[in-house]
Amino acid sequence: MTQEKLGKILSSVAKRMRADFEQSKNFNHNGEAGTSRELLVQNFLASYLPPHVHAVHNAEIVSATGETSPQCDIVLTDRGTPPFTTLNGYRIIPNECVYGVIEVKTKLDGDQLADACNKISKLRRLPKKSYRPTPGLIPKSTSAYGKVHDFFPTSGIVVAFDSLKLETIGEHLVKWCSTRDVAEWPDSVWVLGKGQLQWQNPLTGFIERSPMPGASLVQIDAIPDQDILLALALHLNIHFSDAWMNPLDLVPYSGATPLGALTRRWPTVGARRHP
C-alpha cells in the first residue's frame, strides 16, 4: 500500500515536471531554458536524496592538485562541504566532498550522451587524496567499478526530459563504453516518460548501482502511469544512503600561498627563570 501511494505521488510529480518542461520551451533564450530544466531536476533531488547529501546547481569541482572540472549541471555533495562561492553565487567544490554528478539533457541523442559521458569520465579521474587521518577509527572503503576505494568514488548519472528511442541510446552507450575502462562508465541513464539504462551483474543477474567488469547494459521501460520517478527515487536512496567521506584537509588546497610571516616568538608562558 505504501509503495502504491508513493508511486501515485511520484506519478503526479512526473506529470508536473513534464508540464514545467513544456512551459520552459517558451523561453526565448536557450540558456534560460536549460537552467530551468536543471532546476526542475534539482528540486526533485532535494526531496528524495538522503539527508546528508546536498544537490548543488551550477558548480565547478576542483582538486588539491589544481585540476578543474567543466561546469557541472548538478553536483551531489556532502552537507559539510565548505561554502566556497564567487560573487555571483557560483559554487566551487573540493573534489573530496563530491559524491556524484548529474548531467541534465533536454533531448538525449548520441552526441549529447557522449558529452555527458566524457564529462563524467573526466570528473571521476580527478584525485581524492586531501583527507585528514583519523587514528583509532576502522578505515572505511567502497567497492565500485571493479575496485575497492578508500573514498566514495564520484557517481555519474544522466537524466533527460526526452531522447531518441531508448534502445538507440543504449546502443550509443555500449559503443562509447566499449573502448574505455569500466571506471569511466556512467552509472545509469534516465529518460522521463521512456525508461532507464542500468548495469546487470554478470554473476548474480542483479541490477547494480554501478557497473563492474563484464556487466551487461539493460533497458528497463517505464510503466506509463508511473513514469521513471519512483524507480529513480529508490535508485538515489540505494546509491547514496551509504555515501561517506573522511574529514576534509584544506591545507593542500592552499598550495604555496603564504599564510603569514613569523615575526616574533615568546618564551614558553609560565616557564621558570633561573637567577
Side-chain angles (χ1 to χ4, degrees):
M1 180 66 70
T2 302
Q3 183 174 353
E4 291 178 2
K5 185 175 181 179
L6 181 58
K8 290 178 181 178
I9 292 172
L10 291 175
S11 176
S12 66
V13 172
K15 291 176 182 176
R16 187 170 70 247
M17 285 181 69
R18 290 199 65 83
D20 290 341
F21 167 70
E22 293 298 327
Q23 184 178 358
S24 71
K25 291 180 179 179
N26 296 321
F27 293 164
N28 293 325
H29 193 279
N30 288 335
E32 292 177 355
T35 297
S36 69
R37 292 159 192 167
E38 292 160 13
L39 289 173
L40 287 174
V41 176
Q42 183 195 22
N43 290 337
F44 170 78
L45 296 173
S47 300
Y48 298 100
L49 283 171
H52 67 291
V53 183
H54 181 46
V56 178
H57 175 246
N58 197 18
E60 187 176 273
I61 300 169
V62 295
S63 71
T65 54
E67 298 167 274
T68 303
S69 76
Q71 180 176 326
C72 303
D73 294 338
I74 298 173
V75 182
L76 305 181
T77 72
D78 186 87
R79 284 205 176 266
T81 301
F84 298 149
T85 60
T86 65
L87 291 176
N88 294 323
Y90 187 79
R91 291 288 299 270
I92 300 171
I93 301 172
N95 190 42
E96 286 77 8
C97 303
V98 174
Y99 292 141
V101 291
I102 295 182
E103 284 298 297
V104 181
K105 298 298 183 183
T106 297
K107 183 164 184 177
L108 195 62
D109 57 19
D111 291 339
Q112 291 291 308
L113 178 67
D115 175 74
C117 289
N118 288 333
K119 192 175 290 186
I120 290 168
S121 170
K122 181 175 181 179
L123 292 172
R124 203 172 281 150
R125 292 197 301 269
L126 293 179
K128 291 187 177 185
K129 298 181 178 179
S130 188
Y131 296 111
R132 293 200 311 274
T134 52
L137 296 180
I138 299 174
K140 298 183 73 172
S141 62
T142 295
S143 297
Y145 317 111
K147 297 180 180 179
V148 177
H149 308 265
D150 59 358
F151 53 85
F152 192 86
T154 301
S155 302
I157 297 172
V158 183
V159 175
F161 283 87
D162 196 6
S163 73
L164 303 178
K165 289 182 179 179
L166 201 54
E167 179 182 354
T168 303
I169 297 299
E171 291 170 353
H172 283 299
L173 183 55
V174 167
K175 182 178 179 180
W176 188 92
C177 293
S178 65
T179 58
R180 292 167 174 83
D181 186 82
V182 67
E184 300 181 61
W185 299 0
D187 294 276
S188 55
V189 177
W190 303 78
V191 182
L192 206 65
K194 292 192 175 179
Q196 56 185 287
L197 299 172
Q198 291 211 61
W199 300 100
Q200 186 178 42
N201 187 310
L203 300 177
T204 65
F206 294 155
I207 302 298
E208 299 287 353
R209 69 179 187 181
S210 299
M212 62 185 65
S216 299
L217 184 68
V218 295
Q219 174 181 330
I220 304 171
D221 293 335
I223 298 173
D225 291 338
Q226 185 173 288
D227 213 313
I228 63 167
L229 294 192
L230 175 58
L232 179 55
L234 296 175
H235 177 77
L236 291 169
N237 182 267
I238 293 169
H239 202 116
F240 296 106
S241 60
D242 59 352
W244 60 277
M245 65 172 283
N246 288 315
L248 175 66
D249 184 2
L250 280 177
V251 173
Y253 279 88
S254 66
T257 304
L259 302 180
L262 180 62
T263 58
R264 182 170 297 184
R265 180 176 179 272
W266 282 262
T268 302
V269 176
R272 297 181 62 183
R273 297 189 178 189
H274 296 284

